[in-house]
Amino acid sequence: MPWEQLTIPPQPDRKILIYGVAAGLIVVVLGVVVFRQINRPSAPDLMPVTPIAVASEPLATTTLPPMADQGQAPATVALAEPEVTPRLSEADLMAVNREGTERTLAGTAEWLVLEFFTIDPSEVWADRVQAASGIRLPDGVAPEPSSAETVSYVEWTRTRSVTQTGPDTYRALVLIRRLVAPDGAGFRRLPVERVEVDLRVEADGEVRALSLPEISTPTETELLPLPETELAWVVDSAGIGWPVTR
C-alpha cells in the first residue's frame, strides 16, 4: 500500500461556497428592485386631480386669545354672519291688517256717536259716553236739553269713511238719523246728520277717542238728472206705489 493513502485528506475550502451564496442573494435583491422599477406606473397613467371651486359667503371673523404655554399669535376663526331680522313698525303692522283696523275704528265711532246723541232721563249720559270713548269726561260735561223731559234716540248709524290723519290717528265720518221729542211725547224724525270724530289706535290695538263727536255741516252736492228711462210703480203690501226704473 502506498504511503500517501495512509495520510488524512485535506478538508475542502468552504469560502468559495459562502461567496457564491452571498453573490446569489445580491443578484436576487437587484432583480426585485429592477422588477419594481419596471412595473411602477408612469405619471401619465396616474388619475388626474380636478380642482373643484367652492363658493363661500362673506364670513365674519372673531379673534381667539393666544395659547398660554406657546405664546403664539392669536388665531382667527371664521364664523357665520348672524341673520338680522328687520323690525316692523306699528304702521307696517297696521298696513298688513288695514281692513281689520278700519272695521274696529268704524265700530268704535258708531258706538260713540250712538251713546253721545242719545238722551234718556232714566240713564246716566256720562257713564255711557265714557265707556264708548275710552276717555274720562270732566265733571259737569253733559248735554243741555230744552226741558227735563227731552229725549233723543239714534235710529241708526253708519260710518261713511275713515281717513288716516297721522301715524296712529284717524277721523271717522258717521251718518246718523235721530228721533227727538222735546216734551218727551211728540217725536219727530230729524234729517240725516253728518258727525265727525277723531280716534287713535293704541299700541295694544285698543281704539280711543281723541275728541267728542261733532255735527258737521253737509257739503252741497250738485244734483244730476235721472237718466232717461222708463218709469214704473210698484205697490207694496201697504198700498203705497213706489217709482222704479226699468
Side-chain angles (χ1 to χ4, degrees):
M1 176 178 296
W3 288 101
E4 60 271 10
Q5 294 183 359
L6 296 176
T7 62
I8 299 173
Q11 296 294 329
D13 191 358
R14 297 180 179 274
K15 292 182 180 181
I16 298 175
L17 179 60
I18 294 173
Y19 292 155
V21 173
L25 292 176
I26 294 174
V27 171
V28 172
V29 172
L30 291 176
V32 172
V33 173
V34 172
F35 179 78
R36 289 185 176 181
Q37 291 293 333
I38 294 175
N39 292 336
R40 183 178 182 181
S42 60
D45 296 334
L46 297 178
M47 182 179 296
V49 178
T50 304
I52 300 177
V54 179
S56 60
E57 298 181 355
L59 300 178
T61 59
T62 182
T63 302
L64 298 180
M67 300 290 292
D69 55 345
Q70 296 181 0
Q72 299 177 354
T76 301
V77 180
L79 298 179
E81 184 175 357
E83 181 179 356
V84 179
T85 303
R87 296 183 61 184
L88 297 178
S89 63
E90 183 179 351
D92 295 332
L93 296 176
M94 292 176 61
V96 175
N97 191 22
R98 185 176 183 85
E99 183 178 354
T101 302
E102 289 183 352
R103 285 199 301 266
T104 304
L105 289 165
T108 303
E110 293 175 3
W111 179 23
L112 175 56
V113 170
L114 172 66
E115 301 295 354
F116 187 85
F117 289 99
T118 297
I119 300 176
D120 190 334
S122 64
E123 298 177 349
V124 180
W125 179 86
D127 293 345
R128 293 186 286 103
V129 173
Q130 289 180 148
S133 63
I135 57 177
R136 184 180 300 278
L137 298 177
D139 295 338
V141 175
E144 297 180 353
S146 57
S147 65
E149 293 81 14
T150 300
V151 294
S152 173
Y153 296 113
V154 177
E155 188 176 13
W156 55 262
T157 63
R158 292 292 185 276
T159 301
R160 184 171 184 177
S161 64
V162 176
T163 304
Q164 188 169 1
T165 58
D168 55 359
T169 58
Y170 298 81
R171 175 168 296 172
L173 175 61
V174 183
L175 304 180
I176 66 173
R177 191 72 179 267
R178 289 190 292 155
L179 294 172
V180 298
D183 58 357
F187 286 89
R188 66 185 181 93
R189 180 175 284 106
L190 299 181
V192 175
E193 297 170 301
R194 300 161 57 97
V195 180
E196 291 183 347
V197 58
D198 293 325
L199 304 168
R200 179 177 63 198
V201 179
E202 304 291 346
D204 57 356
E206 187 74 16
V207 177
R208 297 180 184 274
L210 292 178
S211 66
L212 297 178
E214 182 179 356
I215 298 177
S216 62
T217 304
T219 57
E220 296 183 0
T221 303
E222 181 182 0
L223 300 180
L224 300 177
L226 183 68
E228 294 183 3
T229 182
E230 181 182 357
L231 291 177
W233 276 258
V234 176
V235 180
D236 63 11
S237 59
I240 302 174
W242 302 98
V244 294
T245 56
R246 297 186 184 279

